[in-house]
Amino acid sequence: INLAVFRTDSEIHHLIFSFHHIIMDGWCLGIILKELFQVYKSLEDSQLAALKTVYSYGNYIVWLQKQDRKAARKYWKKYLNGYQQQASLPKTKTLPGTGEYEYNDLFFKLDESLTTSLASVAKKNSVTLNSMFQVIWGILLKHYCGVNDVVFGAVVSGRPYEVMGAEKMIGLFINTIPVRITFDENKAFCQLIRDTQAASLESEKYHYFPLAQIQADTELRQGLLDHIMIFENYPVEKEISGSVGNEGLFGYRMSNIDVFEQTNYDFNIIIMPGSEIAVKLSYNELVYSREFITKIEGHLKEIIKTIIKNPEVCINDISILTQEEKKQILNDFNATATEYEKDRTIHQLFEKQAEIIGDEIAVVCGNETLTYAQLNRRANQLARTLIEKGVKPDSIVGIMTARSVDMMVGIMGVLKAGGAYLPIDPDYPTDRIKFMLEDSKAEILLTQKAIEREKRSGTGTENPSPNEVLCPHTLYLDDEHVYASDGANPVPVNEPGNLVYVIYTSGSTGKPKGVMIEHRNVANFIKGMTEKIDFSHGKTILCLTTISFDIFVLESLLPLAMGLKIVIANETEQIDPHALNDVIIKNRVHIIQTTPSRMKLLIDSGDLRCLKQLTEILAGGEILPEALRKQLSSLSDAKIYNMYGPTETTVWSTLKEVTGDMDLNIGKPIANTRIYIVDKHNRLQPVGVPGELCICGDGLARGYLNRSELTAEKFIADPYNNTQRMYRTGDLARWLPDGNIEFIGRMDNQVKVRGYRIELGEIETRLVKYDTIQEAVVMVGDGKNGVPYLCAYIVCDQPVDAADIRAYLAKYL
């Protein structure tokens, strides 16, 4: 024990008293300080100190050795049975990984009115304030973790009433035990506190059992507890102040008593009862930010106010969000309202550019080029043929071409005819192509002769049929007969509310689903991108993405609406890093959009010539690793942007420039886009707390084609604007204090592999249809250089050949 006395005035002293917890616990502090001053006073008066009877700590050890450890172990194993996920507070800083600790704390009080009201609720329900606070804290953890079963540590006094004088003994009695709160969301708060009190009384018999042993018997082992709660029912001031009349402690007046203790946990909540309940939140500054810790105070008070107002409140109806936070999220973080050309279609925006810069190159692919005027005229000629074939607003026209200028002509021709294009990758299995055409009820397919011949030959199909027709009407973009003689702009027949494209994404049931995007969705997307990134006239963008990916829109429709030159990379340039370098350099490309995994392959090839030429690098489709971002920043002077957005909300919904040492996250919502991060009841989550990322605004798709039930499930009413809709992404994210968003991962069985959006359930569904496979589980593994891959685990009734299974899957996926 260390003692230090500092005299700061003739009659004012500061006493510092420090000790290791192994010597004694906080309960002892009042006892020993009172005795210390009694001895000091007696020495000052030259008298013998009349100390009270001392009870030996050894009596407690004897009692401890007699306890039934087997029964205690059995109790705690049963108490924690089935608990599998640590209830952890959201960490707002990167862990140092060195065990370092920088202590800080936040102290606040509940005023006398709140304290009295809490005590009244506790008394009416015959529970202790300790049980009340355990449930209150459990509710907070439930919101923070998004679960209905939480465990945290609670410090107990450990002084058994059976041991005579235990309350006056000096020594270490305290123990940390787990407290488990399991929520039935329809249960009333008052019932839950009574249940918790009953469980507490039951576990009190086994408070002595070591925490290390309790943890060892659980699935989580040492990861069972993330933090602890300390309910101090041994206030030091009460023991040592005012104990002898009005003269204080043996004639000494004591004030400003401050107790400091540090545990091995990065966070502790200490409750100190009194006329005003005091709460201290002590924490490791290397793990938690002051801003987040401050918010905990507000969240606790919100819960307390709710339960005081109505102790019968259903657990499900308790919110933790303060009004200030709600205003910040809804009004400040989502202040994205912006004017855009919502009354014009995409082809009208293109036609405007064709009038202004008609002689400038619009599209390049290999040796083929088209100026804006040439592309406009050829698209008009195709559009007139399509109109004759019956294409009208919201008609769906399939387009399946090799990477060529024909691809752009076909897309723009469909739009000018009033229809919507359905992009089909020629490499898709024939069965999948047939499904998309049949499901969309597309009457016309735009393709090229070589591709159509390949598909009609039955390549990749289970039952080849040379005479099989993919679509009722097939038009060949490389056949001059499909182009009418009149190259003037057709009279517009569609409006911004009509479809511009339908794109099929992976489906968990085993069938792809078509997402319907309207012209005004794309017009808003163009506005959102161009007000953040320099897509100015005169720049060149690389079209690298497969037509069936929605991010292809940024490389085609956006630049044509803004007057850029598009360079289409062919199939070889898509996969060969050296060929990709060559096409970027040869065509003086400024802007490239790519998945992080493709950019990594480019860097790993060692051919980095193109990086110095680029002015903007747009990364999206999967998580951008920090190491890759740093590599790019060191190898290129380009601005680097991190993008996020599902197909259902029109390509990208958020973006962030992450050049150099800027914080790496998915940024803020783009123009006329609102982001909510909610719990499973669609309540807003506080800043720093994970939840499902939901998107509202002008980018929302019309829904899923021919899938009204799925549309209703995913596109629900906006809880905060009843005239709008909200799309549930299934992605887990959280707000950062500056209004940026941190992407955490998927909540369901969907993954991103090299930019492909894949439902693992679709692969599993297809696998179990294989003759000898009974069960299948598909997971994502980490491959070489951090590039993920898909791995299937199967249960069969007889041996199977992996190559046969791959060939089988290739026909459908």
Side-chain angles (χ1 to χ4, degrees):
I1 295 177
N2 294 304
L3 280 165
V5 180
F6 299 90
R7 184 169 62 194
T8 58
D9 205 333
S10 59
E11 293 188 354
I12 299 176
H13 298 72
H14 287 261
L15 171 65
I16 295 179
F17 182 100
S18 68
F19 58 93
H20 195 287
H21 236 317
I22 200 170
I23 296 174
M24 59 184 178
D25 54 34
W27 187 295
C28 303
L29 196 53
I31 302 170
I32 204 165
L33 283 177
K34 183 175 181 180
E35 194 168 292
L36 174 70
F37 276 88
Q38 184 180 358
V39 171
Y40 185 86
K41 181 65 176 174
S42 66
L43 289 171
E44 188 181 45
D45 296 341
S46 301
Q47 294 179 356
L48 190 64
L51 300 176
K52 293 184 179 179
T53 302
V54 173
Y55 293 94
S56 172
Y57 184 71
N59 294 340
Y60 166 68
I61 299 297
V62 171
W63 174 88
L64 196 60
Q65 290 174 334
K66 293 179 180 178
Q67 301 313 299
D68 188 343
R69 292 176 64 88
K70 287 184 178 179
R73 183 178 183 183
K74 182 179 179 182
Y75 170 81
W76 288 114
K77 286 180 74 172
K78 182 179 179 182
Y79 182 77
L80 296 168
N81 183 47
Y83 187 73
Q84 298 176 323
Q85 181 179 337
Q86 184 188 75
S88 176
L89 274 74
K91 294 174 173 59
T92 48
K93 293 187 178 181
T94 303
L95 288 168
T98 59
E100 296 177 59
Y101 206 113
E102 288 188 12
Y103 179 91
N104 202 345
D105 57 42
L106 175 71
F107 184 87
F108 65 91
K109 287 187 175 181
L110 305 180
D111 62 34
E112 195 167 340
S113 173
L114 282 178
T115 299
T116 302
S117 298
L118 270 178
S120 175
V121 173
K123 185 176 180 181
K124 286 179 181 177
N125 288 278
S126 303
V127 302
T128 64
L129 274 175
N130 189 9
S131 292
M132 285 271 287
F133 270 96
Q134 286 180 352
V135 174
I136 291 168
W137 185 251
I139 292 170
L140 193 66
L141 286 179
K142 164 183 156 45
H143 280 269
Y144 284 172
C145 302
V147 295
N148 285 326
D149 192 7
V150 300
V151 170
F152 56 91
V155 175
V156 292
S157 70
R159 293 173 183 258
Y161 65 89
E162 302 100 319
V163 179
M164 182 177 292
E167 74 282 358
K168 292 296 182 183
M169 284 182 184
I170 302 298
L172 178 63
F173 291 84
I174 62 167
N175 189 24
T176 299
I177 61 165
V179 173
R180 185 175 188 177
I181 311 286
T182 303
F183 296 95
D184 174 351
E185 295 189 337
N186 296 316
K187 184 179 287 188
F189 172 80
C190 57
Q191 182 59 51
L192 184 57
I193 56 174
R194 291 194 292 267
D195 293 346
T196 301
Q197 173 83 9
S200 177
L201 290 172
E202 177 66 20
S203 65
E204 192 173 340
K205 306 170 191 173
Y206 309 106
H207 278 185
Y208 60 85
F209 201 63
L211 176 62
Q213 183 63 63
I214 294 173
Q215 292 183 130
D217 288 336
T218 67
E219 293 184 43
L220 296 177
R221 301 292 192 268
Q222 300 306 309
L224 177 67
L225 304 181
D226 180 66
H227 60 280
I228 59 173
M229 172 183 281
I230 304 165
F231 191 87
E232 290 192 345
N233 55 353
Y234 50 93
V236 176
E237 292 187 53
K238 182 179 179 181
E239 182 72 31
I240 64 178
S241 63
S243 56
V244 184
N246 297 319
E247 297 182 0
L249 186 63
F250 301 102
Y252 295 94
R253 291 187 303 277
M254 302 189 72
S255 61
N256 300 326
I257 298 171
D258 184 32
V259 178
F260 168 86
E261 58 183 335
Q262 179 176 313
T263 72
N264 292 326
Y265 296 96
D266 289 320
F267 179 85
N268 311 278
I269 174 170
I270 301 100
I271 314 293
M272 294 163 278
S275 58
E276 292 184 326
I277 294 174
V279 180
K280 182 163 75 171
L281 308 175
S282 68
Y283 61 98
N284 184 353
E285 275 195 325
L286 298 175
V287 178
Y288 300 105
S289 68
R290 183 73 176 183
E291 192 165 17
F292 174 70
I293 296 298
T294 304
K295 289 184 182 298
I296 293 177
E297 174 186 350
H299 299 157
L300 283 172
K301 287 180 176 178
E302 282 297 314
I303 297 172
I304 289 168
K305 289 174 185 175
T306 301
I307 62 174
I308 284 174
K309 185 177 180 181
N310 178 19
E312 299 285 342
V313 64
C314 181
I315 296 298
N316 186 37
D317 295 330
I318 298 176
S319 174
I320 66 172
L321 199 72
T322 65
Q323 287 302 311
E324 292 79 9
E325 286 178 301
K326 188 173 181 179
K327 177 179 177 296
Q328 180 188 43
I329 292 168
L330 293 179
N331 299 343
D332 300 341
F333 290 174
N334 283 295
T336 61
T338 309
E339 290 297 321
Y340 67 100
E341 297 189 86
K342 63 177 68 175
D343 58 343
R344 304 187 75 176
T345 59
I346 300 306
H347 49 283
Q348 286 175 325
L349 297 177
F350 164 68
E351 288 169 356
K352 178 181 175 182
Q353 293 296 338
E355 289 178 16
I356 300 170
I357 57 169
D359 293 334
E360 295 187 18
I361 294 175
V363 185
V364 177
C365 186
N367 296 323
E368 296 180 289
T369 62
L370 286 177
T371 65
Y372 270 84
Q374 290 170 334
L375 175 58
N376 189 48
R377 177 176 175 77
R378 197 153 177 82
N380 289 338
Q381 292 172 316
L382 175 63
R384 292 184 183 279
T385 300
L386 292 174
I387 292 169
E388 287 181 11
K389 296 287 186 183
V391 173
K392 56 185 183 296
D394 283 2
S395 293
I396 297 172
V397 178
I399 178 165
M400 180 173 65
T401 71
R403 299 183 64 76
S404 60
V405 296
D406 285 348
M407 185 168 66
M408 295 300 183
V409 171
I411 289 172
M412 202 54 66
V414 171
L415 300 187
K416 284 172 171 283
Y421 72 91
L422 167 64
I424 301 172
D425 189 329
D427 289 334
Y428 275 172
T430 303
D431 284 347
R432 193 179 187 91
I433 294 170
K434 286 166 57 182
F435 170 81
M436 292 164 63
L437 290 168
E438 291 168 4
D439 185 65
S440 66
K441 297 180 173 59
E443 293 290 317
I444 298 174
L445 172 65
L446 299 178
T447 186
Q448 291 160 316
K449 294 174 182 177
I451 291 175
E452 208 268 346
R453 278 197 302 269
E454 177 187 328
K455 294 302 175 184
R456 282 171 66 89
S457 71
T459 303
T461 63
E462 199 163 2
N463 300 299
S465 178
N467 298 317
E468 191 171 15
V469 177
L470 290 174
C471 196
H473 302 286
T474 300
L475 301 180
Y476 303 108
L477 292 170
D478 50 356
D479 183 348
E480 286 300 320
H481 292 97
V482 304
Y483 298 97
S485 58
D486 189 349
N489 292 336
V491 176
V493 293
N494 50 1
E495 298 178 349
N498 289 126
L499 294 179
V500 63
Y501 63 81
V502 173
I503 194 163
Y504 276 78
T505 68
S506 183
S508 58
T509 61
K511 291 184 178 180
K513 50 188 184 288
V515 180
M516 300 183 286
I517 301 294
E518 300 171 349
H519 282 265
R520 60 186 169 202
N521 300 143
V522 180
N524 182 71
F525 164 70
I526 291 172
K527 175 65 176 179
M529 290 292 103
T530 55
E531 70 176 6
K532 300 291 185 183
I533 301 173
D534 183 9
F535 286 99
S536 56
H537 165 247
K539 283 196 162 187
T540 300
I541 185 169
L542 183 69
C543 181
L544 185 61
T545 306
T546 303
I547 189 174
S548 57
F549 276 20
D550 67 326
I551 63 176
F552 172 83
V553 171
L554 184 140
E555 302 167 353
S556 56
L557 300 185
L558 184 152
L560 290 178
M562 298 302 297
L564 278 72
K565 179 166 76 172
I566 301 171
V567 176
I568 301 175
N570 62 32
E571 286 80 0
T572 301
E573 291 158 351
Q574 280 185 311
I575 60 175
D576 183 339
H578 302 290
L580 180 60
N581 255 289
D582 290 340
V583 74
I584 291 173
I585 293 169
K586 176 184 175 183
N587 292 280
R588 297 181 180 178
V589 171
H590 302 98
I591 305 170
I592 181 174
Q593 175 187 238
T594 179
T595 60
S597 51
R598 175 175 270 157
M599 180 55 71
K600 183 166 177 57
L601 290 173
L602 175 63
I603 292 176
D604 289 346
S605 74
D607 194 348
L608 310 175
R609 294 167 293 149
C610 68
L611 293 181
K612 291 296 181 184
Q613 181 179 296
L614 297 172
T615 57
E616 284 85 19
I617 298 173
L618 282 52
E622 59 192 13
I623 293 174
L624 174 62
E626 174 66 26
L628 179 59
R629 189 273 298 265
K630 287 181 178 178
Q631 271 187 303
L632 279 175
S633 293
S634 65
L635 295 170
S636 175
D637 295 328
K639 290 183 177 180
I640 304 167
Y641 294 89
N642 194 28
M643 333 285 283
Y644 165 83
T647 303
E648 289 83 349
T649 60
T650 313
V651 195
W652 304 126
S653 300
T654 73
L655 67 86
K656 168 82 181 290
E657 184 184 347
V658 294
T659 313
D661 293 328
M662 294 183 184
D663 291 338
L664 180 55
N665 51 65
I666 62 171
K668 300 179 180 181
I670 66 168
N672 304 301
T673 300
R674 299 187 309 283
I675 301 290
Y676 304 145
I677 295 173
V678 302
D679 63 15
K680 62 183 179 180
H681 301 291
N682 295 328
R683 289 184 301 232
L684 295 175
Q685 291 286 62
V687 172
V689 178
E692 183 177 8
L693 193 156
C694 297
I695 303 175
C696 308
D698 290 7
L700 257 66
R702 184 185 294 180
Y704 297 112
L705 184 66
N706 306 323
R707 304 284 290 277
S708 56
E709 288 185 8
L710 185 61
T711 299
E713 177 189 336
K714 290 291 187 178
F715 294 85
I716 65 173
D718 180 345
Y720 305 98
N721 184 339
N722 56 18
T723 65
Q724 301 289 322
R725 295 178 305 145
M726 176 177 84
Y727 173 68
R728 305 186 69 108
T729 67
D731 289 330
L732 196 65
R734 65 177 177 176
W735 287 109
L736 298 174
D738 60 1
N740 283 299
I741 299 166
E742 178 187 4
F743 177 84
I744 298 173
R746 286 295 299 173
M747 298 174 65
D748 57 18
N749 212 20
Q750 187 186 101
V751 298
K752 286 284 187 74
V753 178
R754 297 193 295 280
Y756 288 86
R757 170 172 155 178
I758 298 164
E759 291 277 3
L760 299 182
E762 179 179 3
I763 306 172
E764 291 168 352
T765 299
R766 185 57 64 180
L767 276 169
V768 294
K769 290 181 179 178
Y770 192 81
D771 286 344
T772 59
I773 297 177
Q774 281 80 50
E775 296 180 71
V777 173
V778 179
M779 302 175 69
V780 177
D782 292 324
K784 292 181 179 179
N785 301 320
V787 177
Y789 69 94
L790 293 172
C791 182
Y793 296 84
I794 57 176
V795 176
C796 313
D797 60 6
Q798 57 183 286
V800 295
D801 187 286
D804 289 344
I805 297 175
R806 288 195 190 95
Y808 160 77
L809 292 174
K811 297 170 186 173
Y812 305 100
L813 302 176

